[in-house]
Amino acid sequence: MVGEVLEQAHDAGAHGGPDFVAVVVLLAAAVLAVPLFRRLGLGSVLGYLAAGLAIGPFGLGFFHDPQAIIHVAELGVVLFLFIIGLEMQPARLWSMRGEIFGLGLLQVTLAIATLVWVGLALGYPAVPSFVAGTGFVLTSTAIVMQMLTERNQMALPMGRRIMAILLLEDLAIVPLLALVAFLAPGGAEATATDRLRSVGVGLAAIAALVVAGRYLLDPMFRLLARSGAREVMTAAALLIVLGAAVLMQAGGLSMAMGAFLAGVLLSESSFRHQLEADIEPFRGLLLGLFFLGVGMALDLDTIAANWTVIAISVPAYVLLKMGVIYGVARVLRASKAEALERAVLMAQGGEFAFVLYATATQFGILTAEWNANLTAIIICSMALTPLMVLLHDRYAPKKAVSMDGVDEVKDLSASVLLIGFGRMGQIISQPLLARGHSLSMIDTDAQSIRDAARFGFKVWYGDGARLDILHAAGAGSASLIIAAPNDRAAVTKIVELAKHEFPLVPVLARAFDREHALELVRAGADFQMRETLESAFAMGREALLTLGEDPAIVEEVMTSFRSRDLERFEMECVGGQFAGRDLLIGNRKTQE
């Protein structure tokens, strides 16, 4: 049945009709696999790879030419780098120059010198071993960027350092391709003029892009904005990205580098946010398609025929590369935790290796069989990365908390025990201290405790959700306990413990939302307050005044609303979340 459907679809494509079946299969595979894998905690990248393998030549056989899909889907990587560039103003990029040409260059150089030994140890000639190792050094920008985005680490210092290394690797593809041409049989006969010409073409392409970005792009977008046609702005955004990518490719550089530079040049434009919104849907779809294509390209026949070489090479390349990354990170004074995480994230080979190996095959350095083996090794390493990250997150040693300048809870005594000195606890402390009440304040964030000390606060280190810490903090002798940590579950646990162990001590609790407030009432809190309630009241009052409402009427409305909200909450405490629904003032009937 599947074969008949595919045959009909291909016949339609051959007669000029669109192959909608292929599109439906790709979308269905992504829609089914990615949410499942994310629900299992395996990440979206592994979901795409598994889906690609399932619908590819070695699965259900819906597709037989995954390379064609990869070539189209590489535009997802290009668009991803454009969006990264939009977030990277020129001044910020300039500030990263030391990390790009220091950290990045050191890691790439040492990794090449190390990985070349894998091929030599397996008995391959020196030049093919060098090309094989060099290709594996080039990390997958697509996978690493996706992982950093999912882990919310792009804006962190660690993410910035990884970005710097990836930028250097993108730049390195140009001299590496030139080196492959030089190492090819007869390549040494190429003249210095030819090499200078290729370098000059690349520099000219960069210069042309910089000039166009600086003097032409912003005026062009202003002109298009006046037309009021949103679809034209979207088309223009795609034109800029793809045009820059093609220009860089024509100059011998990578398409991703061209898109990144275009993003940097537009990062200070007033149209930056609109460009990002226009490009984002295409980026996500094409990047997912790229991962699907990589999964389809996993050649199980090649792996079966050369399983010994691949089974040795994959762990050898991955472990040696991880060792180099970890060593370079530690030499440059990264913490052990950051060095290990960086090594795990960047341990795989990348999409630029396919380009390098294909070029080396064209020049006669690699045989077709070697190219197939190396491509399988790269894809296997890419597929292993999400699993390695999962194992790292589960079993890697957690970063030890530095207790420098921090005192642990011990034999405290005060009239008020304030648990949690975050954004809410800090404000709560002020009226109490102003009236001369003694406070014992505890928190679980050592750095926040050190920061508080600089502003004149003494905060002790301790987890108020533990009974032994409550005793050590003087909860039993306190006149009042306030539970206000930045953790919903911890607040509930504190209330339950305190009311069970110290039933005569009043407990005030911070609620994160209405549902949590009901939970705290059931736990026995003497008083709870939703953290956004008063600010929402104040904002609503100000909105009415801004609209010109009479101040006396505004006060009357706010008093009435407070009473309605309190009445609704009391009904919910008895009858559940929907018990007071009739007291809400909705707009559905008005809209209808």
Side-chain angles (χ1 to χ4, degrees), residues 132-430:
T134 300
F136 202 91
V137 168
L138 302 175
T139 307
S140 173
T141 301
I143 286 182
V144 174
M145 288 296 192
Q146 183 73 10
M147 289 277 186
L148 290 175
T149 301
E150 290 181 0
R151 296 158 70 87
N152 297 316
Q153 293 176 324
M154 282 293 295
L156 299 180
M158 187 199 77
R160 191 182 77 164
R161 284 186 278 272
I162 290 177
M163 180 69 193
I165 297 169
L166 293 174
L167 287 175
L168 191 281
E169 290 179 357
D170 283 354
L171 288 171
I173 189 64
V174 181
L176 289 176
L177 288 173
L179 188 59
V180 165
F182 178 79
L183 294 173
E189 298 174 3
T191 65
T193 304
D194 294 332
R195 305 197 186 286
L196 290 174
R197 184 184 298 116
S198 63
V199 172
V201 169
L203 293 175
I206 293 176
L209 182 57
V210 170
V211 170
R214 193 167 184 84
Y215 299 108
L216 300 179
L217 296 186
D218 219 37
M220 182 190 79
F221 279 112
R222 279 199 297 271
L223 182 63
L224 293 174
R226 292 195 193 103
S227 70
R230 179 65 186 270
E231 67 277 6
V232 175
M233 292 289 288
T234 302
L238 289 171
L239 172 64
I240 295 301
V241 178
L242 300 182
V246 169
L247 177 62
M248 289 296 103
Q249 188 180 47
L253 297 166
S254 73
M255 294 177 69
M257 177 58 63
F260 176 79
L261 286 176
V264 171
L265 292 170
L266 286 168
S267 62
E268 295 179 332
S269 166
S270 56
F271 299 97
R272 177 169 70 90
H273 296 294
Q274 182 173 341
L275 288 170
E276 188 171 354
D278 289 341
I279 292 294
E280 181 65 30
F282 299 98
R283 190 276 302 176
L285 190 62
L286 289 171
L287 195 59
L289 190 60
F290 172 80
F291 292 132
L292 284 170
V294 171
M296 293 180 208
L298 188 59
D299 192 332
L300 298 185
D301 287 341
T302 298
I303 294 175
N306 303 277
W307 70 269
T308 305
V309 172
I310 294 173
I312 294 173
S313 299
V314 171
Y317 278 127
V318 167
L319 292 174
L320 286 174
K321 186 176 180 182
M322 286 179 66
V324 171
I325 295 171
Y326 183 87
V328 169
R330 293 293 290 145
V331 166
L332 297 180
R333 299 183 179 180
S335 66
K336 291 181 180 179
E338 180 182 335
L340 179 60
E341 188 170 6
R342 188 190 305 171
V344 171
L345 284 171
M346 304 187 73
Q348 78 292 130
E351 49 276 359
F352 288 131
F354 302 146
V355 178
L356 193 70
Y357 294 155
T359 303
T361 303
Q362 291 173 3
F363 280 109
I365 295 176
L366 299 177
T367 66
E369 181 184 356
W370 293 352
N371 183 20
N373 287 348
L374 289 169
T375 300
I377 290 168
I378 294 292
I379 294 174
C380 286
S381 72
M382 295 169 81
L384 286 173
T385 300
L387 293 175
M388 292 168 58
V389 171
L390 184 68
L391 292 173
H392 167 271
D393 292 345
R394 184 165 297 177
Y395 297 111
K398 302 304 179 185
K399 184 178 178 180
V401 177
S402 172
M403 299 299 289
D404 293 340
V406 176
D407 295 325
E408 295 190 46
V409 171
K410 184 178 180 182
D411 300 330
L412 303 185
S413 178
S415 61
V416 179
L417 172 58
L418 175 57
I419 305 170
F421 199 68
R423 63 174 185 260
M424 197 163 183
Q426 292 167 19
I427 297 172
I428 293 171
S429 71
Q430 292 303 284

